[in-house]
Amino acid sequence: MKILIVNTFDKGGAANACLRLHTGLLQEGIDSKVLLKGKQKNSPHTYILKPDYEKVTTFQKIERKVIGALRAFGLLKKKAIPKKHIFLKSRDKELEFFSFPDSSFDITTSKLYQEADIINLHWVADFLDYKSFFKKNTKPVVWTLHDMNAFTGGEHYEEEYLGIDKDGYPLKRLRTIAEQNVSNKNLKIKKQAIQGVANLTIVSPSQWLAKEAKESEVFKSVTIHCIPYGLDAEVFKPRDKVYSKNLLGIPKDKRVVLFVADSISNNRKGFVFLKEAFQQMQMDNVVLCAIGNKMEDIEYINNIIELGPINDERLMSVAYSAADVFVIPSLMDNLPNTVLESLMCGTPVIGFPVGGIPDMVQDGINGLLAKEISVNALVEVLNTFLNTMDNFDRDSIRSKAVMKYDLKIQANSYINLFGNILKQ
């Protein structure tokens, strides 16, 4: 069984999940390879695909140089900025990523594609060209969703909210006419590309994303399976709490609330709700530890420790072990790796009841769910946790997480799915 995993990059949340599955398949003896658009890591059996540019003749090269020189001297109008770029620049910077269904890459030309028995697509924005790929593809395709982009008009999350009001509630987002027009056009391309494709299977890590995909215009007739992410239980495991605090420079006499995000400015991550909640609580015996790129927003909060970005997984397990609770105030999410990582380390989780978070957080057992998306609800659930934190059994949280999210379990679920598809 030869599996080709396709992902745009090898860095980021989706990439981490993708590479973990790849590792799990290799450990189970499966011939797995990863095809990427961009590569930064030295992960085994990962390869780059160069774009399929059309051949340019010598005359065309000279012609382009002449045109470029004329434009530089103002003798010819500058090349118009593509409408796509104008649209992306006009979108609110706090919104999630937006991508189009076209690409200059042709995955089917890769030797790895031709050798594979099954193609396992993952996060393929700006890498998969819908029209050409599904027209040329002759292999069974399993598409693992990491967000909503595969079945939307371009948004990776169709965000309902943008910003926060004076009472601490999320503000309803209004989509612009331009956003609606571009999305409708892209959605039409995706629907036409998928229509009639018989060898496609969808995998969703969360029940929420599976439901959204099944109700979409693109995947309403496609078979959808739900297979949660998997983690290496020997990497993400509890570390000594005192040692972990000392290593990270966290005061031993403080209760620790942990927040992790690549970018606080990302509206969907909901950091503004945690910031407001923490300011309202004003508890001297509690510190907020933030992991991620430094942002000016969090400098105005008392009792905060900025740990900066942490890329090493074992060091991340130290951070989770140092924390009393991990808070994920996302307004919309799939099956966040950070929640699984925290649970694997035995650390309870607090979050809003959105997306795939209720799949993982059992209220009162391995964490707490706020009753709604609001600052007041987050304050209430944080106070409840701090007053009852000794009731949470970290060993039990860890053991149950391993039983459900160990990498071996995920890998074998995929192997069984791949095997059943090849038997058809």
Side-chain angles (χ1 to χ4, degrees):
M1 184 187 300
K2 293 184 177 182
I3 308 300
L4 178 63
I5 294 174
V6 182
N7 203 71
T8 304
F9 303 115
D10 61 356
K11 187 177 180 181
N16 290 338
C18 160
L19 291 175
R20 285 167 181 166
L21 172 60
H22 172 57
T23 298
L25 293 175
L26 291 174
Q27 290 175 351
E28 295 301 310
I30 300 299
D31 184 348
S32 174
K33 294 182 175 64
V34 180
L35 189 64
L36 303 162
K37 174 185 173 182
K39 180 178 175 180
Q40 297 183 33
K41 301 178 182 177
N42 292 318
S43 304
H45 306 293
T46 59
Y47 308 88
I48 293 179
L49 176 66
K50 294 181 179 180
D52 185 28
Y53 293 122
E54 60 182 64
K55 292 182 179 180
V56 180
T57 65
T58 302
F59 175 77
Q60 287 173 323
K61 289 180 181 178
I62 295 172
E63 183 182 38
R64 289 178 183 180
K65 286 183 179 180
V66 171
I67 292 174
L70 290 173
R71 283 178 176 151
F73 286 104
L75 301 174
L76 195 66
K77 285 185 178 179
K78 290 186 177 180
K79 191 175 181 180
I81 300 174
K83 292 182 180 179
K84 182 192 299 187
H85 295 169
I86 295 173
F87 169 76
L88 292 175
K89 195 173 181 179
S90 70
R91 294 186 82 239
D92 194 301
K93 299 301 181 289
E94 292 186 355
L95 287 172
E96 189 62 69
F97 192 64
F98 188 104
S99 61
F100 290 78
D102 59 293
S103 172
S104 59
F105 291 82
D106 185 351
I107 293 168
T108 64
T109 62
S110 168
K111 184 179 178 182
L112 297 177
Y113 167 87
Q114 295 160 8
E115 294 174 347
D117 297 314
I118 286 184
I119 309 302
N120 183 199
L121 301 177
H122 281 255
W123 196 93
V124 288
D126 298 331
F127 193 23
L128 180 79
D129 185 80
Y130 277 70
K131 286 182 178 180
S132 65
F133 176 78
F134 288 106
K135 185 177 181 180
K136 296 179 180 180
N137 176 57
T138 58
K139 313 271 186 174
V141 174
V142 173
W143 196 338
T144 302
L145 307 180
H146 298 279
D147 55 30
M148 305 173 76
N149 179 253
F151 56 86
T152 71
E155 293 192 278
H156 283 248
Y157 281 94
E158 292 189 325
E159 297 175 74
E160 297 178 36
Y161 308 112
L162 182 58
I164 184 172
D165 67 17
K166 60 182 179 61
D167 297 317
Y169 286 90
L171 291 168
K172 279 283 186 181
R173 173 193 167 200
L174 296 176
R175 288 179 175 81
T176 65
I177 298 298
E179 285 177 320
Q180 294 176 40
N181 290 339
V182 171
S183 292
N184 289 339
K185 182 178 179 181
N186 289 342
L187 192 60
K188 184 178 180 181
I189 292 172
K190 292 182 178 182
K191 287 169 58 180
Q192 290 177 342
I194 298 296
Q195 191 174 16
V197 174
N199 55 355
L200 175 63
T201 303
I202 300 298
V203 172
S204 167
S206 69
Q207 297 289 346
W208 166 77
L209 191 59
K211 180 175 179 292
E212 292 291 324
K214 192 63 181 176
E215 293 175 354
S216 72
E217 295 182 49
V218 177
F219 293 143
K220 60 185 178 182
S221 301
V222 181
T223 301
I224 299 176
H225 298 267
C226 189
I227 302 177
Y229 292 136
L231 297 177
D232 187 335
E234 288 304 307
V235 173
F236 289 99
K237 63 182 181 181
R239 315 284 175 174
D240 181 77
K241 198 176 191 69
V242 174
Y243 166 80
S244 298
K245 283 188 171 184
N246 285 337
L247 185 63
L248 297 173
I250 300 172
K252 291 190 287 291
D253 60 340
K254 301 281 188 179
R255 293 179 177 179
V256 181
V257 175
L258 181 65
F259 172 81
V260 182
D262 288 333
S263 173
I264 289 173
S265 62
N266 185 325
N267 171 73
R268 184 176 62 84
K269 295 297 182 181
F271 179 77
V272 65
F273 291 85
L274 178 58
K275 182 182 76 170
E276 295 294 330
F278 204 76
Q279 286 177 323
Q280 283 189 27
M281 292 170 66
Q282 293 184 339
M283 300 177 71
D284 292 334
N285 65 333
V286 181
V287 294
L288 173 61
C289 290
I291 293 177
N293 294 309
K294 183 176 181 179
M295 296 291 175
E296 292 182 1
D297 287 4
I298 59 179
E299 293 177 354
Y300 300 105
I301 306 175
N302 294 324
N303 289 340
I304 183 166
I305 298 174
E306 293 184 73
L307 298 175
I310 296 178
N311 298 315
D312 182 83
E313 292 186 336
R314 284 179 172 79
L315 189 54
M316 275 301 304
S317 73
V318 169
Y320 289 117
S321 299
D324 292 295
V325 64
F326 168 63
V327 179
I328 178 164
S330 294
L331 309 182
M332 182 179 280
D333 226 324
N334 172 23
L335 198 81
N337 286 297
T338 51
V339 174
L340 302 184
E341 293 166 4
S342 182
L343 296 176
M344 279 283 200
C345 295
T347 303
V349 177
I350 288 175
F352 292 130
V354 300
I357 293 175
D359 285 13
M360 301 174 284
V361 179
Q362 296 172 284
D363 195 56
I365 298 175
N366 62 0
L368 294 170
L369 294 172
K371 63 182 181 182
E372 63 180 8
I373 301 176
S374 73
V375 172
N376 288 338
L378 195 52
V379 169
E380 181 181 335
V381 77
L382 277 166
N383 281 327
T384 298
F385 175 82
L386 292 171
N387 291 327
T388 61
M389 55 185 287
D390 292 337
N391 295 340
F392 292 89
D393 187 336
R394 294 176 75 105
D395 290 336
S396 176
I397 290 173
R398 153 75 176 178
S399 62
K400 289 179 180 178
V402 172
M403 287 175 62
K404 191 173 182 180
Y405 302 115
D406 186 80
L407 185 58
K408 188 179 184 71
I409 296 171
Q410 182 201 26
N412 282 317
S413 295
Y414 270 88
I415 292 169
N416 290 335
L417 176 61
F418 293 152
N420 290 334
I421 290 173
L422 291 175
K423 287 177 185 177
Q424 294 176 3

